[in-house]
Amino acid sequence: MTTRENLSRIFRKTYLSLLFILIVSIIIFIIISYYHFYVNRIIPKYDQSYLYNKTDIVEDKIHNVLRNDFIFINTLSLLFKNLFFIILLFSSLCFSFFINQNDLINSDGGQNLFSQIVSRGLYIIIFFNIIYYFSLDFLNKPIQKKIESIKNDTTISINLLKKGNEEYFKKNYIDSLNYYINYINLIENDDIIKDRIREINNTIKGAEFDKNKKNAELEKKNNEYKDVTSTITEYNKLAKIYYEKKDYASALYYYKYVAETRGSERADALKKIQSIKQILNYQKNLNESTNVIDTNKLDENLKKIYVLKERADNYFNKNDYQKAYFIYNDILEINQNLRDIADKKQLSLSKLKETAGEISEFNLARFYPKQYDFIFFIGPNDFLHIEEISKFFNYFYCYNIRIYNINNDFKVNYIIESKYGITKSDNKISLYTFSQSNRNEEYYPSIIVNNKRQRYDKIFIEIPVSLNNLFEFSYNYEKTLNTSIISLFSLRKISANKNSKNKNDNYSIGLNKHLIETAILDKVSRLFLFFAINLIMISIAWRFRSTYINKFPIIFYLFLLIIPVFIYYFINFILSSITLIISVLLLIINFNILLIFCIVINIIIVLISIFLIASCRS
């Protein structure tokens, strides 16, 4: 073949060898992922043998329904983690085994230059060098979070399923339905639980129908004009609608309000009030209705409603939404059709949830993945201890919180305690918790000074960094190393306030600054290592091929497989050693000096690798 044809074949073989190695690697990673799933899978049961027990620990397991998700994401994770080794293997085999003597002997007497032969291989290495560092900075972390999410969803869902089964077989259908719905929100493809939810819904509806058969007709009437009243806010119009629907109790409430507050409409409202009372008295005298309203009782209820409404509005205006919520609820128990009261009740609940946590959420969050004993400074003289943190989506549920304020002699001035806390933003935690079903169950933080405890009115605490960052780091070096280098520099900047004139303000806020700086230098030290080592590997492989161009010794095939494996593990050992060395050097040498040193070493390694590959001859 001519020089040009051989060169084209070399390029084609370069691409095909890469494709072959990638395909084989992916197949191997799929097998490994499937094996990992098979070993750690958990197949749920739906009978009475599968009930919740606090001693049961479900960790690092994968729900059977999440098999495909796990195999895909774990294969992707293995691919990016081993990308260095894959391209190392490509550099070794492509230029020693796949490109053979027939590709180097040209029929026209021409000679292909070494730079031409390896040009496509160098493009591939440069491309994958970029992919490798892009994955290290931006892809590895979300991929690992997705794998953790699958395992966390399994832990949560199995606990919810077991608790749901427990309530189901006790015939506590409403509680079991709540657990099953939360379960199905995580495991959407579980048809057995979907059928059970449908069965429970029908059972509950059937029981309610039998129990409230008399109210069914009333509910139907209410629904007829529910959509109409939901768009109307003027009390005189609401009164007219209820009057026309013969809901005289609701109509009387609104007409009385109009009569007391609207001078221009007072006369008409008083006439309607008089008319309603005459109608009710007439019905009472004829006894023609089975649901005759007692006018004396109606007046008594109206007075009670107005007293309660005034009290609820007063609490609402003072931002005491918990008391307002329950008083509005008391009014609705007297008359459930009062639209403005229902709106105020819902608004009170919304306001509560903006500033507080609901106790049932904390009880449910016990099933979520947890971390324990967070201790970090949130100010120069304040450190925070959280005994237990559960994470679900973007919310963190904190249990048994203590804030210690200390003086310069490390003596405690006071302690702020809270049984519960929930994040309301990235760096704000609410220490107030309420119950939506029990007005007597609410938890405020307390302050202890000189062994005396009293209520603490400030319900929010702020920390100088996102709790999500603290939760994710948790002094896990692999997670830190997977964080992008830009984020690491940002975290280093806020981990200590170096610009403060007060030395006492230079404090750690829970992020281990030494850990972050070690990770930065570690990432910088291996910046061009992937590229340099592959250049060296090509040099070694080509020297084998050029030395034995006619006949390649069989024993060297084994070397070609062993050498990249040896280099891969040797480099990993070197990297681990570098991490240790950097960590120690940071204790005695300034970070900026070490950063410059790592960059210089990178440049030297790249220059050496370029010199080695440049010394190769075709």
Side-chain angles (χ1 to χ4, degrees):
M1 298 181 75
T2 64
T3 305
R4 184 179 294 275
E5 288 172 337
N6 269 339
L7 194 59
S8 297
R9 189 163 70 170
I10 288 171
F11 292 162
R12 191 163 54 251
K13 281 191 173 185
T14 302
Y15 294 130
L16 289 174
S17 61
L18 173 67
L19 185 62
F20 172 76
I21 291 170
L22 281 175
I23 290 171
V24 171
S25 300
I26 290 170
I27 291 170
I28 293 170
F29 295 150
I30 290 172
I31 293 169
I32 292 171
S33 297
Y34 188 84
Y35 173 76
H36 186 75
F37 165 76
Y38 184 81
V39 170
N40 295 287
R41 72 174 174 172
I42 186 166
I43 302 174
K45 299 176 184 176
Y46 306 94
D47 55 27
Q48 296 190 53
S49 66
Y50 209 65
L51 304 179
Y52 180 72
N53 190 328
K54 288 183 180 179
T55 59
D56 292 343
I57 298 174
V58 182
E59 289 183 352
D60 293 325
K61 298 293 183 182
I62 302 129
H63 197 292
N64 195 54
V65 173
L66 300 174
R67 178 190 63 191
N68 293 341
D69 291 343
F70 174 78
I71 289 174
F72 171 75
I73 200 69
N74 197 62
T75 301
L76 204 60
S77 173
L78 290 172
L79 179 65
F80 285 125
K81 277 184 177 178
N82 294 282
L83 198 58
F84 181 24
F85 176 71
I86 291 169
I87 303 305
L88 207 61
L89 200 61
F90 160 75
S91 302
S92 171
L93 295 178
C94 178
F95 297 103
S96 59
F97 176 70
F98 290 107
I99 296 174
N100 54 45
Q101 59 180 342
N102 294 328
D103 303 315
L104 303 174
I105 299 172
N106 303 317
S107 59
D108 58 3
Q111 186 178 10
N112 292 319
L113 299 175
F114 174 71
S115 58
Q116 293 175 309
I117 294 169
V118 299
S119 60
R120 296 302 182 269
L122 290 176
Y123 295 157
I124 288 169
I125 289 171
I126 292 169
F127 174 75
F128 277 97
N129 185 63
I130 295 168
I131 293 293
Y132 176 74
Y133 282 105
F134 182 81
S135 68
L136 193 64
D137 252 27
F138 300 104
L139 296 180
N140 275 354
K141 190 171 183 178
I143 287 172
Q144 294 308 313
K145 285 183 75 173
K146 179 62 179 176
I147 292 173
E148 283 184 16
S149 175
I150 289 172
K151 293 178 179 179
N152 290 344
D153 285 352
T154 300
T155 301
I156 298 167
S157 63
I158 293 301
N159 286 332
L160 290 171
L161 177 62
K162 288 181 175 181
K163 196 67 180 174
N165 288 346
E166 183 180 322
E167 300 300 332
Y168 176 78
F169 291 111
K170 287 180 182 177
K171 298 188 177 180
N172 296 331
Y173 295 123
I174 293 176
D175 291 336
S176 65
L177 183 64
N178 184 41
Y179 287 119
Y180 284 147
I181 287 173
N182 281 288
Y183 169 84
I184 214 70
N185 286 337
L186 295 172
I187 311 296
E188 297 177 359
N189 298 323
D190 195 324
D191 293 330
I192 295 174
I193 292 300
K194 284 182 180 179
D195 289 339
R196 188 167 286 181
I197 288 172
R198 198 176 299 114
E199 173 202 327
I200 293 171
N201 274 323
N202 291 335
T203 303
I204 292 171
K205 286 178 182 177
E208 286 179 352
F209 180 79
D210 293 338
K211 186 177 179 180
N212 304 313
K213 196 171 183 180
K214 292 181 180 180
N215 296 329
E217 223 175 285
L218 180 61
E219 186 179 346
K220 185 179 178 182
K221 286 182 180 179
N222 289 339
N223 287 334
E224 286 176 3
Y225 59 96
K226 186 177 181 181
D227 291 338
V228 178
T229 61
S230 65
T231 60
I232 296 173
T233 57
E234 294 181 27
Y235 276 27
N236 57 345
K237 290 184 179 180
L238 286 169
K240 186 178 179 181
I241 290 171
Y242 283 116
Y243 181 82
E244 290 173 354
K245 297 296 181 181
K246 298 183 181 181
D247 183 354
Y248 297 120
S250 301
L252 197 60
Y253 165 80
Y254 287 112
Y255 276 129
K256 195 165 185 179
Y257 180 88
V258 171
E260 291 175 357
T261 59
R262 308 266 182 94
S264 60
E265 299 170 0
R266 176 178 169 80
D268 290 338
L270 288 173
K271 285 180 183 179
K272 287 292 185 183
I273 291 170
Q274 191 62 33
S275 174
I276 289 169
K277 287 184 177 180
Q278 287 175 355
I279 291 170
L280 293 176
N281 286 327
Y282 182 72
Q283 287 180 346
K284 183 178 180 181
N285 292 332
L286 288 178
N287 200 22
E288 66 178 15
S289 173
T290 55
N291 295 318
V292 174
I293 299 174
D294 187 337
T295 52
N296 294 328
K297 180 78 176 196
L298 183 61
D299 284 337
E300 185 183 324
N301 283 345
L302 273 175
K303 288 176 184 177
K304 190 175 181 181
I305 285 172
Y306 274 102
V307 169
L308 290 173
K309 183 179 183 299
E310 186 179 356
R311 191 186 305 166
D313 288 344
N314 189 38
Y315 280 126
F316 186 90
N317 293 331
K318 290 180 179 179
N319 299 332
D320 194 342
Y321 301 116
Q322 192 262 0
K323 288 186 175 63
Y325 171 82
F326 280 103
I327 295 174
Y328 287 131
N329 190 64
D330 292 339
I331 296 172
L332 292 173
E333 286 180 1
I334 298 171
N335 187 340
Q336 64 178 357
N337 296 327
L338 302 181
R339 229 286 312 288
D340 60 321
I341 301 299
D343 289 346
K344 274 293 188 71
K345 176 189 171 184
Q346 190 58 41
L347 183 58
S348 299
L349 183 61
S350 299
K351 293 286 187 182
L352 265 174
K353 289 191 173 182
E354 286 177 10
T355 58
E358 207 280 318
I359 193 67
S360 64
E361 295 177 8
F362 285 88
N363 294 333
L364 193 61
R366 293 279 188 186
F367 302 130
Y368 304 161
K370 306 178 187 69
Q371 289 200 32
Y372 300 93
D373 290 322
F374 273 65
I375 302 175
F376 52 89
F377 274 93
I378 59 173
N381 296 96
D382 297 287
F383 70 88
L384 174 67
H385 175 222
I386 304 174
E387 189 175 292
E388 180 182 323
I389 299 181
S390 293
K391 181 184 179 184
F392 190 60
F393 293 111
N394 293 323
Y395 287 98
F396 293 90
Y397 298 89
C398 308
Y399 303 84
N400 299 326
I401 303 164
R402 280 188 156 209
I403 302 170
Y404 296 84
N405 179 269
I406 56 176
N407 59 26
N408 292 332
D409 297 324
F410 297 99
K411 291 181 180 179
V412 177
N413 293 325
Y414 59 83
I415 303 170
I416 298 170
E417 284 188 349
S418 179
K419 189 173 183 180
Y420 302 106
I422 184 172
T423 51
K424 290 299 174 182
S425 67
D426 284 345
N427 59 350
K428 183 185 284 187
I429 301 173
S430 170
L431 302 179
Y432 169 58
T433 312
F434 74 102
S435 170
Q436 197 174 334
S437 58
N438 184 353
R439 71 176 72 210
N440 297 318
E441 189 176 10
E442 59 177 338
Y443 301 92
Y444 277 94
S446 59
I447 184 169
I448 303 169
V449 184
N450 297 325
N451 295 322
K452 292 181 181 179
R453 183 188 296 269
Q454 61 186 41
R455 177 169 149 174
Y456 189 65
D457 291 328
K458 292 182 180 179
I459 64 170
F460 289 110
I461 58 170
E462 292 192 6
I463 55 177
V465 70
S466 166
L467 188 60
N468 185 60
N469 284 337
L470 296 175
F471 190 87
E472 288 298 326
F473 267 66
S474 64
Y475 301 102
N476 184 321
Y477 186 70
E478 186 179 350
K479 285 184 177 180
T480 311
L481 198 60
N482 283 335
T483 305
S484 74
I485 198 164
I486 297 170
S487 298
L488 286 174
F489 271 108
S490 299
L491 289 170
R492 177 182 178 270
K493 185 178 179 181
I494 64 173
S495 65
N497 185 8
K498 289 291 183 183
N499 295 325
S500 175
K501 295 179 181 179
N502 186 352
K503 290 182 179 179
N504 290 330
D505 288 342
N506 185 18
Y507 61 92
S508 166
I509 58 170
L511 293 172
N512 189 324
K513 184 164 172 279
H514 184 82
L515 190 78
I516 294 170
E517 290 183 342
T518 303
I520 292 171
L521 294 172
D522 213 349
K523 289 172 82 79
V524 171
S525 68
R526 59 183 73 179
L527 192 58
F528 296 108
L529 191 63
F530 180 85
F531 178 68
I533 295 301
N534 275 285
L535 291 185
I536 294 170
M537 193 67 246
I538 290 175
S539 302
I540 295 171
W542 184 253
R543 279 175 168 79
F544 273 119
R545 169 50 62 200
S546 58
T547 304
Y548 301 97
I549 193 166
N550 293 319
K551 187 178 180 182
F552 207 79
I554 296 175
I555 190 67
F556 282 179
Y557 288 114
L558 183 62
F559 287 159
L560 290 172
L561 291 172
I562 291 175
I563 287 173
V565 174
F566 171 76
I567 290 178
Y568 176 74
Y569 283 104
F570 179 72
I571 291 299
N572 279 329
F573 170 75
I574 293 297
L575 291 175
S576 300
S577 302
I578 289 172
T579 303
L580 180 61
I581 292 167
I582 288 171
S583 182
V584 173
L585 288 176
L586 271 171
L587 299 173
I588 53 177
I589 301 176
N590 181 271
F591 168 78
N592 293 323
I593 294 173
L594 279 178
L595 183 62
I596 295 169
F597 178 75
C598 288
I599 293 171
V600 170
I601 291 295
N602 256 285
I603 293 170
I604 292 171
I605 291 172
V606 171
L607 290 175
I608 291 171
S609 63
I610 291 173
F611 174 77
L612 281 173
I613 199 167
S615 64
C616 294
R617 296 289 181 267
S618 54

